[in-house]
Amino acid sequence: MKHARSNVGGLLAAVLVLLGLAIPATAQQPAPGGDAASLVAAALEDAMAQLEADVDAAVAGAERARTIAIAYAPPEGYALIVEAIEAEAFAQLAARSPEALRGTLQSIWNDRPALARALARVAEPTDDATRTVLLAGEIAKKDAELVDQYAELAAAICVVHDMPRVYPGVGPVRPDPIGIFDAFVFADRERRVTDLPLDATPAEMLVHVVDTSLTPEMLRELVLDRRGGDVAELYADVPYVQPELLGGEAALPPEQYALNAIRDRGGDGAIRSFYAEQIGQAFGVAATIATGYGGDERFQAPAYITVNRGTARWSFDLLPGNAGQPVGAYVHPSSAITVPLSDLEVTASLATAGTAAADRAWALLRAAEHLASGTTGPPADARAVIGADPLREVGTPAALEMLRASIAACDGLPGAHRLFLRLSLEQAGGDAPGFRRVAGEFLDAAERGGYLFFAVGEVLATLERAPAAINPAETTEWITQRVRRSETLTALLQVRLGDGALAAGEAERAAEIWNATLTRYVDDTPLALEAFDRLDRYYADRGEDEQRMQLFARSHRRMRAPRTGDEAAVRASAFYRVGERYEALLTEAGRDREAERLRRSLDQAIR
């Protein structure tokens, strides 16, 4: 992070501003951005020197510098904006921290600029600020060159391990974060076995690497004894065992925990995922436990980053019944908030973008949020000192400029795409041609970038709030034509089309749409079961028991039993899931023989 020293003129300008005096404009006004840089630098130097003594003044000064920087920074580089927004975010972290720890943050800001920059980006209000700062302070005491080189790794560890993590089969665990930092540095610097370069990958991606329950000793042992962490192979190493077949065995206590116990004992989707995730992460693989469509342990598996010829993608191929599609959710390792997998899909480019690009993208997104919020522009006294009109004022056009620059720097921030779509639609007006033009460009860009599921979900969300001039049904059909190559997205859109018909009072039309979707896609995507669930509820609400029974019989006959020896995949299939429900329905209706035959066919599919 740059800590610029202002010249005498810049200091004088800052003093005059603080006194409320204005420098009269001259006939030869300075070029926009020139004096702004000096003014912002002087204001930041003054503000950030007060982190320990007067944090409120530090925040206020940094916010003022940020506002001026956004208004006057020239488009070439936007370095002024990045610097000011980093400072403001760091000052906000200090404000959330106990007074006794602000001296630690002051030292980090002064002496460990790379760590300060990384913390500014990834420390959120949901984090435990006390624990985060304590960890950062301990790491900052290490060799300066080491901390600067692995600042992103350090920041990721600080925000992930600020609170105990809860892991399947182990429970809440708080390992030694400082030892974890040393172990990962050892793996990357000494052994060179990490999948991602831990000294060049942004902290936003590294949070998916350092989310470990393992002790530093276990991490080192894995790195020394194993050749690598292929997540798919690791997942397959653990046999699938239904929880009820574990014989009521209690979870292993942390003091007796060992990875080989999982491999030998087997477990459900959560345990298998945990095993593969933890060992993969030891080798620098970004991975997380994902829950696919269905929401229970049968649908859990690791999602992980793959890099091919410089292009990174999240792999969802292990999710049973999901056909490799980002349909489901995961728990973010830093915030502990449940997030859609489609958001995770967007972040893939962070694995290869580099720290500088991610830093710039984040700062410009924050700038866009400030401009879009409609808060006041640069102070009048600053305008007078700089001697020129701002290059940009608060509002949609300026915010869109910042968002385009953010996405161009790195397209791995879901918030940038989300805000860009909303503001672009607002600017386009409320007619159908404008909506389709903006949405079409958004979907095309997403398809090129590899985050089409995210984009379709965002367009559908905006469609729910669209003006009356935009027909939801017609627009949904239009979107369907654009994503025809994806059976999962097509099924999703058709289900939504049926929802719209039902909301419009066209119940029979809704049932027709859902029936057609189920017939066409039942063996292609788990989202076809959304249509099945809606039809089941439709007949149940109308008291049409026979129609409901026919729905189960007709649908299950169309479903193919999976040809695989993977029990988890069979249990996650439409054939098995609908079959279990059909068996229960037959039993409830007293049709025991049919229920028994169905049970035999389900059991046979597993063998």
Side-chain angles (χ1 to χ4, degrees):
M1 187 181 302
K2 179 182 176 185
H3 297 278
R5 299 282 178 179
S6 63
N7 56 28
V8 175
L11 286 172
L12 176 61
V15 171
L16 290 173
V17 169
L18 292 173
L19 292 174
L21 302 177
I23 298 176
T26 63
Q28 295 181 336
Q29 292 186 356
D35 280 6
S38 298
L39 182 58
V40 168
L44 286 180
E45 186 170 14
D46 178 69
M48 301 307 284
Q50 302 182 73
L51 287 172
E52 182 176 11
D54 190 347
V55 74
D56 292 336
V59 170
E63 288 178 344
R64 176 184 172 86
R66 173 213 63 195
T67 301
I68 297 171
I70 292 172
Y72 284 97
E76 303 81 26
Y78 296 113
L80 191 64
I81 292 177
V82 175
E83 182 179 355
I85 285 184
E86 286 172 347
E88 183 216 355
F90 197 82
Q92 294 284 2
L93 172 60
R96 298 193 300 269
S97 304
E99 186 175 356
L101 292 178
R102 289 171 189 160
T104 298
L105 288 171
Q106 185 78 72
S107 297
I108 292 174
W109 177 263
N110 293 339
D111 304 327
R112 299 290 183 270
L115 178 57
R117 180 178 64 241
L119 282 173
R121 287 204 327 272
V122 297
E124 298 287 347
T126 53
D127 294 320
D128 182 335
T130 300
R131 179 71 171 167
T132 297
V133 176
L134 283 171
L135 293 176
E138 287 300 309
I139 292 176
K141 295 175 183 177
K142 294 180 177 291
D143 176 73
E145 180 183 351
L146 180 73
V147 176
D148 287 345
Q149 182 180 355
Y150 290 98
E152 301 289 321
L153 175 69
I157 287 173
C158 291
V159 297
V160 168
H161 292 285
D162 59 320
M163 292 179 281
R165 307 287 293 162
V166 178
Y167 299 94
V170 183
V173 173
R174 174 172 271 169
D176 171 20
I178 309 303
I180 288 173
F181 174 79
D182 292 336
F184 275 118
V185 169
F186 170 77
D188 186 75
R189 192 184 234 189
E190 305 297 331
R191 305 300 295 182
R192 300 190 181 278
V193 295
T194 55
D195 187 67
L196 295 176
L198 304 188
D199 58 349
T201 302
E204 291 91 335
M205 180 58 65
L206 291 181
V207 296
H208 299 291
V209 174
V210 303
D211 180 24
T212 181
S213 70
L214 307 182
T215 65
E217 293 74 22
M218 292 174 71
L219 286 170
R220 285 176 179 262
E221 182 179 344
L222 284 170
V223 168
L224 289 171
D225 293 349
R226 299 179 71 96
R227 293 185 177 181
D230 186 301
V231 174
E233 291 182 3
L234 292 165
Y235 182 69
D237 282 347
V238 181
Y240 176 80
V241 180
Q242 297 177 65
E244 60 269 23
L245 298 183
L246 288 174
E249 298 176 57
L252 296 171
E255 63 271 14
Q256 298 179 18
Y257 176 71
L259 290 171
N260 59 6
I262 288 180
R263 188 181 63 245
D264 297 339
R265 186 175 185 233
D268 61 11
I271 293 293
R272 300 174 77 203
S273 301
F274 172 70
Y275 176 85
E277 176 205 45
Q278 294 286 290
I279 297 181
Q281 288 173 342
F283 293 91
V285 178
T288 189
I289 298 176
T291 302
Y293 176 83
D296 62 35
E297 59 82 18
R298 287 183 294 185
F299 306 95
Q300 286 184 324
Y304 57 99
I305 280 286
T306 63
V307 181
N308 183 24
R309 297 182 179 178
T311 300
R313 289 285 185 272
W314 281 97
S315 172
F316 304 102
D317 291 344
L318 297 179
L319 284 173
N322 254 46
Q325 309 297 337
V327 180
Y330 77 106
V331 177
H332 194 276
S334 173
S335 67
I337 294 173
T338 300
V339 181
L341 286 181
S342 55
D343 273 39
L344 185 67
E345 178 188 35
V346 180
T347 66
S349 62
L350 287 166
T352 54
T355 303
D359 197 28
R360 174 181 164 115
W362 165 82
L364 294 176
L365 169 58
R366 293 284 291 261
E369 292 169 342
H370 175 76
L371 289 164
S373 68
T375 53
T376 57
D381 53 0
R383 295 185 184 215
V385 169
I386 295 170
D389 291 330
L391 292 175
R392 58 188 70 82
E393 300 280 6
V394 294
T396 295
L400 285 172
E401 174 201 333
M402 293 289 102
L403 290 169
R404 290 188 186 95
S406 172
I407 294 169
C410 173
D411 66 355
L413 304 180
H417 300 282
R418 192 171 283 124
L419 183 57
F420 182 80
L421 177 63
R422 179 173 70 81
L423 296 181
S424 297
L425 289 173
E426 289 176 3
Q427 191 178 60
D431 60 359
F435 185 96
R436 292 191 179 186
R437 176 182 58 80
V438 170
E441 293 173 354
F442 188 73
L443 292 170
D444 288 344
E447 188 166 23
R448 291 191 300 270
Y451 45 89
L452 188 58
F453 276 78
F454 168 85
V456 169
E458 291 303 313
V459 172
L460 287 175
T462 60
L463 187 59
E464 294 173 0
R465 305 185 297 270
I470 300 171
N471 184 289
E474 292 179 358
T475 307
T476 301
E477 285 286 15
W478 170 79
I479 298 171
T480 302
Q481 298 303 314
R482 301 188 69 96
V483 299
R484 188 180 293 276
R485 284 177 290 180
S486 171
E487 293 166 333
T488 299
L489 285 175
T490 301
L492 168 66
L493 289 160
Q494 291 302 299
V495 168
R496 293 292 183 91
L497 194 63
D499 292 347
L502 184 65
E506 302 174 5
E508 292 184 0
R509 170 64 177 155
E512 290 176 3
I513 294 172
W514 293 329
N515 259 313
T517 304
L518 181 61
T519 300
R520 170 65 182 84
Y521 297 108
V522 69
D523 273 324
D524 298 323
T525 168
L527 282 189
L529 295 187
E530 290 278 352
F532 181 89
D533 291 340
R534 281 160 170 76
L535 284 167
D536 184 22
R537 187 164 58 247
Y538 172 80
Y539 291 129
D541 290 345
R542 294 162 67 98
E544 298 180 1
D545 294 340
E546 184 57 33
Q547 286 284 71
R548 187 180 178 212
M549 189 69 78
Q550 290 178 14
L551 167 69
F552 275 86
R554 181 175 67 249
S555 299
H556 198 255
R557 280 198 301 270
R558 294 195 189 107
M559 296 171 181
R560 297 185 299 270
R563 295 179 178 179
T564 175
D566 184 350
E567 182 178 350
V570 174
R571 291 182 179 277
S573 68
F575 173 84
Y576 199 91
R577 292 173 56 212
V578 172
E580 284 185 315
R581 293 166 61 182
Y582 186 23
E583 179 193 9
L585 195 63
L586 288 169
T587 302
E588 183 182 341
R591 297 162 62 172
D592 295 339
R593 288 188 177 181
E594 293 174 75
E596 289 173 5
R597 285 198 300 270
L598 179 57
R599 168 45 56 189
R600 286 195 295 271
S601 70
L602 297 178
D603 291 342
Q604 187 176 6
I606 294 178
R607 296 192 186 103

